[in-house]
Amino acid sequence: ANPISIISPQESTLSWNCSYANSCSIDQRIGKVDNIFGSIKVSPTSTTVYKLSCQGEDDSEEYKATVNVGFIPIIKEVAPY
């Protein structure tokens, strides 16, 4: 994930390169992705762990990336009485 920390509603880019995979998917309702390489922009509203699962001929692998989400506090000015 790049960047690994964002302020909502900014985006982070998830990138992968799995040369020998037959199929790959990412959880968090992203679904099937290109099995060789690619990237996708995400904009989570809270800190989220994304899991890339790749299936090969003989084995499967999982890779995780965390996108940390912070917020800019809203300061409300109150008029004196």
Side-chain angles (χ1 to χ4, degrees):
N2 184 25
I4 60 170
S5 296
I6 61 172
I7 302 289
S8 185
Q10 293 176 332
E11 294 180 328
S12 179
T13 301
L14 305 177
S15 301
W16 62 92
N17 188 346
C18 302
S19 301
Y20 301 104
N22 292 333
S23 65
C24 292
S25 64
I26 300 176
D27 64 353
Q28 303 296 347
R29 293 192 260 166
I30 295 174
K32 187 175 180 177
V33 294
D34 188 292
N35 61 310
I36 303 298
F37 66 91
S39 65
I40 188 169
K41 291 186 181 292
V42 294
S43 185
T45 56
S46 61
T47 296
T48 303
V49 177
Y50 293 91
K51 181 173 66 176
L52 171 70
S53 300
C54 292
Q55 185 70 39
E57 290 292 325
D58 301 324
D59 198 9
S60 63
E61 293 288 335
E62 293 181 350
Y63 306 91
K64 294 181 181 178
T66 301
V67 177
N68 299 297
V69 179
F71 296 91
I72 297 175
I74 297 173
I75 298 172
K76 187 174 182 181
E77 192 173 318
V78 178
Y81 291 99

